[in-house]
Amino acid sequence: MLKIGITGNIGSGKSFICRQFARLGVPVYYADIRARFLMDEDEAIQEVCGAFGEGILDGSGLLIDRKKLATIVFSDKEKLAKLNAIVHCLVEQDFDRWLEHYQSEPFVLHEAAILFESGFDKKFDKIILVSAPEEIRLKRVLKRDGMPEEEIRKRMAHQWPEEKKTPLCDWIIRNDGTQLVLPQIEAVMDDVLKISKTKG
């Protein structure tokens, strides 16, 4: 089984692309979604409170207030790195458990926004980048999240630029409206299945 990482900067539409792979029968692990789920579990809450204090809990005192935490970490690179290290460890363990259910598949996808930034790219056989220009990505996030533009740009600044990621990836899927995405996805699938057969 090949493990394929799929990444893309905020607003690139990587989750949309992953859903198209899933519709074609490819198992997809959504790391960002799983991370949010894992952050509500006791282990993560204890670790995050240990790193940032109980002031990041919500009014109930039982769950992490994500907005409070985001305000803290996206204003301080060291604190963001500390949070990412905690989340990265939890996601890696969760992904390994998930993989056990798909050992007979030719390949699986692991979707993550900060695949390279976290160093998690080394866990994969191949990597796909979902690409779109910054202004298109900005407009998508503004429409999707209603977040202030300044906040979005702050988050963008914490991700590697596409230019840095592109040479490290095996396939680029353009999701900028200039070409259909399905033929690109099918071409990637054909390549991966050939590699999988060769490896097998």
Side-chain angles (χ1 to χ4, degrees), residues 7-10 69-84 112-119 134 137 147 149-162 164-165:
T7 191
N9 286 6
I10 184 171
L69 186 58
T71 300
I72 293 169
V73 300
F74 285 110
S75 300
D76 187 314
K77 287 187 177 181
E78 289 186 6
K79 289 179 179 177
L80 179 61
K82 186 184 291 186
L83 176 64
N84 284 340
I114 56 169
L115 198 67
F116 290 107
E117 295 88 337
S118 66
E134 184 174 305
R137 292 190 285 107
M147 195 185 297
E149 182 174 333
E150 181 183 355
E151 184 65 28
I152 297 169
R153 290 194 180 278
K154 192 183 292 184
R155 296 190 181 198
M156 285 179 163
H158 286 288
Q159 296 181 336
W160 288 9
E162 278 194 4
K164 186 175 180 179
K165 296 179 180 181

Side-chain angles (χ1 to χ4, degrees), residues 27-146:
V28 181
Y29 178 87
Y30 296 93
D32 299 335
I33 292 173
R34 286 297 298 167
R36 287 194 288 273
F37 172 80
L38 294 168
M39 287 287 282
D40 286 337
E41 296 194 332
D42 289 343
E43 181 182 354
I45 293 169
Q46 289 173 13
E47 286 197 51
V48 175
C49 283
F52 300 101
E54 294 189 359
I56 53 92
L57 294 175
D58 64 9
S60 71
L62 300 174
L63 296 173
I64 293 167
D65 186 315
R66 299 179 194 280
K67 287 187 178 179
K68 284 183 186 177
L69 186 58
T71 300
I72 293 169
V73 300
F74 285 110
S75 300
D76 187 314
K77 287 187 177 181
E78 289 186 6
K79 289 179 179 177
L80 179 61
K82 186 184 291 186
L83 176 64
N84 284 340
I86 294 170
V87 175
H88 169 76
C89 184
L90 294 169
V91 168
E92 184 171 13
Q93 293 169 4
D94 189 61
F95 178 57
D96 286 340
R97 290 190 295 268
W98 180 86
L99 275 177
E100 293 174 5
H101 301 287
Y102 299 101
Q103 292 300 314
S104 62
E105 296 289 339
F107 74 99
V108 299
L109 288 182
H110 178 290
E111 180 227 23
I114 56 169
L115 198 67
F116 290 107
E117 295 88 337
S118 66
F120 206 48
D121 58 294
K122 299 173 183 64
K123 194 175 179 76
F124 300 98
D125 300 295
K126 300 288 181 180
I127 297 176
I128 302 165
L129 176 67
V130 180
S131 172
E134 184 174 305
E135 289 309 308
I136 289 178
R137 292 190 285 107
L138 178 63
K139 287 177 182 176
R140 286 174 180 166
V141 180
L142 281 168
K143 183 178 180 181
R144 182 188 71 196
D145 298 343

Side-chain angles (χ1 to χ4, degrees), residues 154-193:
K154 192 183 292 184
R155 296 190 181 198
M156 285 179 163
H158 286 288
Q159 296 181 336
W160 288 9
E162 278 194 4
E163 294 76 15
K164 186 175 180 179
K165 296 179 180 181
T166 299
L168 302 174
C169 295
D170 300 280
W171 297 279
I172 312 294
I173 293 178
R174 308 285 177 192
N175 188 29
D176 56 7
T178 62
Q179 52 189 297
L180 296 173
V181 296
L182 189 57
Q184 296 181 74
I185 290 169
E186 290 173 338
V188 170
M189 285 187 66
D190 287 344
D191 285 349
V192 174
L193 289 171

